[in-house]
Amino acid sequence: MKNEVVKQPRVCRFCNAEVHHTFVDLGMSPLCESFLRPDQLNEMEAFYPLHVFVCEKCFLVQLEEFVSPDHIFTDYAYFSSYSDSWLEHCRRYTDQMRDRFRLDGKSLVVELASNDGYLLQYFVQKNIPVLGIEPAANVAKVAAEKKVPTLVKFFGEQLAAELASEGKQADLLVGNNVLAQVPDLCDFVAGMKVLLKPGGVLTLEFPHLLKLMEGNQFDTIYHEHFSYFSFLTANRILGAHGLVLFDVEELPTHGGSLRIFGRHREDDSKPIGPRVVELSAREEAVGLNRLESYRSFAEKVKKTKRQLLECLIGAKQAQKSIVGYGAPGKGNTLLNYCGIGTDFIDYTVDRNPFKHGRFTPGTHIPICAPDRIFETRPDYVLILPWNLKNEIMQQMARIREWGGKFIVPIPEATIAG
Ligand SMILES: [Zn+2]
């Protein structure tokens, strides 16, 4: 008998339907947070497909899982506390939630993927009890130093049941930019249902698929982000687990995010608000409930790549120097997909000292401290975390002293003086 390799059908992370349709194919890419030490530069690097599919049944946009979360989180270099505007966003959120849902010293706020305590620290300052759940031990350790109690564990239904049996249920259950990174989406959402107090509120923030599509934000796609959500799809997924979305806010963070507000289906004290109705209707109007609407994205991405390369090639042919600003995950998707290495960019800088002296995965661009830019006075600074461009252009305003300019790569390459 012939020994045939049977290809497993690709199935939807949410609804288990077979998934056939490409959303965008960004080729092969290394894991975007796997920054290299100098001694690793001559070693082989693992590249994985960055091929995104859309489910024709539920319209969940998704990547296959190639790497286990254990691998992703072992030496997690992302610390949330290195962006001023993000911290300000979090501080305002804690004020709003305390006032709107009357949180006090008897409440419990639980955050899933609480990182270095960047958010919960503001609840601690208001004397509201908190619990962080964070699988990466190195960032959780920093949280503990901020007096944010943190469980170093992966969240799912089992952990939620353990906590609930100890009488720990959340009045406010928070998940910021975590839903996309969950390999077992259904187990995670089932866990939220168990961990939420009967009258509690959950809020989740995630990049809005509608903005990703409208703004060519293909660089927000990386292996650690398994799923990309419209409001319609998020509502369907939470609904399948007995949770109801009663409000939604559209935020400017990460190029355009949603903050969704959920409650138990049985909790009728919070009626479904007009913003839920309005956004659902708007997503239907642009076709996020029809497969054709997802088909046109891939061509827009190729065009964005060509425009950026034209801009960089033009600068290099004019003998200009270019450096990068930032070494975010999204930067690595952009650099690898567009094939931008030290042939274009001398180095990049980042405020996170854990990245200094390392190199970007795949493209091997050295990462330095931001002051390097004032020493070498480059002609152009390519802003990789373009979602923070206003903050960065302010911080780096001094480059104008020597005629330096910024390049913003997305939604299309633009030079800003
Ligand atoms: Zn599906």
Side-chain angles (χ1 to χ4, degrees):
M1 207 170 95
K2 244 179 28 190
N3 201 359
E4 278 182 52
V5 178
V6 181
K7 199 170 183 302
Q8 293 282 336
R10 195 178 294 113
V11 296
C12 174
R13 176 161 291 119
F14 167 58
C15 76
N16 281 319
E18 279 190 35
V19 172
H20 307 286
H21 298 281
T22 293
F23 177 61
V24 66
D25 184 355
L26 300 171
M28 301 290 284
S29 217
L31 293 183
C32 74
E33 294 288 347
S34 52
F35 296 96
L36 303 170
R37 297 186 310 268
D39 62 293
Q40 293 172 310
L41 284 176
N42 293 332
E43 288 171 13
M44 271 216 307
E45 276 179 273
F47 280 61
Y48 302 91
L50 208 45
H51 189 158
V52 192
F53 293 87
V54 56
C55 172
E56 63 189 84
K57 291 279 188 314
C58 71
F59 304 107
L60 180 65
V61 169
Q62 55 198 292
L63 270 176
E64 275 183 272
E65 185 191 338
F66 291 102
V67 188
S68 79
D70 292 330
H71 181 86
I72 293 173
F73 287 111
T74 39
D75 186 14
Y76 196 43
Y78 184 72
F79 284 70
S80 297
S81 295
Y82 288 102
S83 160
D84 297 336
S85 58
W86 178 240
L87 288 179
E88 176 55 21
H89 170 84
C90 294
R91 197 192 53 73
R92 277 201 310 271
Y93 166 86
T94 57
D95 286 341
Q96 288 168 12
M97 294 305 110
R98 179 195 54 189
D99 298 345
R100 180 168 174 186
F101 301 114
R102 296 184 201 88
L103 302 172
D104 58 25
K106 293 190 285 297
S107 310
L108 178 63
V109 178
V110 180
E111 187 183 14
L112 310 175
S114 51
N115 203 272
D116 59 2
Y118 70 101
L119 170 70
L120 291 179
Q121 63 181 341
Y122 297 112
F123 286 105
V124 171
Q125 285 170 14
K126 294 173 170 64
N127 295 316
I128 298 168
V130 302
L131 176 65
I133 299 173
E134 168 56 53
N138 61 334
V139 285
K141 190 163 159 276
V142 179
E145 289 160 13
K146 291 180 185 150
K147 309 228 173 335
V148 174
T150 304
L151 268 181
V152 181
K153 287 206 164 138
F154 278 99
F155 181 73
E157 195 171 8
Q158 193 191 337
L159 178 60
E162 281 168 33
L163 290 168
S165 73
E166 295 164 16
K168 287 183 184 147
Q169 277 185 305
D171 296 275
L172 177 64
L173 181 56
V174 192
N176 284 343
N177 300 307
V178 60
L179 205 56
Q181 301 186 30
V182 173
D184 191 344
L185 189 56
C186 292
D187 180 56
F188 190 89
V189 179
M192 292 197 296
K193 173 80 181 167
V194 172
L195 191 57
L196 189 66
K197 246 184 215 173
V201 171
L202 70 88
T203 75
L204 297 170
E205 288 180 30
F206 50 83
H208 190 189
L209 179 63
L210 178 64
K211 295 287 189 241
L212 186 158
M213 291 170 72
E214 286 175 347
N216 300 331
Q217 301 168 359
F218 67 88
D219 59 337
T220 58
I221 294 167
Y222 38 87
H223 296 106
E224 291 83 340
H225 282 182
F226 304 122
S227 313
Y228 302 82
F229 302 92
S230 64
F231 181 73
L232 290 170
T233 300
N235 204 359
R236 186 177 289 137
I237 293 170
L238 271 75
H241 291 90
L243 296 163
V244 169
L245 298 184
F246 64 94
D247 198 5
V248 58
E249 288 175 36
E250 291 177 74
L251 310 169
T253 47
H254 297 285
S257 296
L258 293 182
R259 176 184 291 154
I260 58 175
F261 293 76
R263 59 158 165 86
H264 288 288
R265 182 172 291 140
E266 303 75 19
D267 173 8
D268 54 13
S269 66
K270 303 170 194 75
I272 293 174
R275 292 192 287 207
V276 168
V277 179
E278 189 277 327
L279 183 55
S280 303
R282 185 148 40 95
E283 286 195 351
E284 284 178 13
V286 299
L288 291 191
N289 55 348
R290 292 191 305 274
L291 189 63
E292 316 81 89
S293 315
Y294 295 87
R295 291 289 194 78
S296 54
F297 183 66
E299 197 47 51
K300 278 172 71 176
V301 170
K302 291 178 202 161
K303 193 172 161 209
T304 307
K305 170 177 176 172
R306 291 193 296 265
Q307 280 172 334
L308 176 60
L309 286 173
E310 264 170 21
C311 174
L312 297 179
I313 290 168
K316 289 313 284 183
Q317 283 183 337
Q319 312 289 321
K320 305 289 186 193
S321 57
I322 312 171
V323 304
Y325 187 101
K330 69 174 64 167
N332 291 321
T333 294
L334 183 93
L335 297 170
N336 277 290
Y337 171 64
C338 296
I340 301 167
T342 49
D343 42 358
F344 287 107
I345 295 190
D346 300 337
Y347 60 86
T348 189
V349 300
D350 202 276
R351 291 176 81 187
N352 181 345
F354 292 90
K355 292 181 182 173
H356 297 164
R358 296 204 179 196
F359 294 78
T360 57
T363 49
H364 296 194
I365 298 169
I367 306 169
C368 311
D371 279 349
R372 182 82 197 274
I373 288 179
F374 300 112
E375 291 157 17
T376 68
R377 300 160 73 100
D379 298 304
Y380 291 104
V381 175
L382 173 66
I383 299 180
L384 293 168
W386 44 261
N387 54 308
L388 304 174
K389 67 177 184 221
N390 294 335
E391 180 181 341
I392 291 165
M393 283 161 76
Q394 227 167 29
Q395 276 169 27
M396 304 304 290
R398 276 172 52 205
I399 73 165
R400 297 190 178 95
E401 288 173 11
W402 63 85
K405 292 188 167 70
F406 298 99
I407 301 174
V408 182
I410 302 285
E412 56 183 36
T414 320
I415 293 175

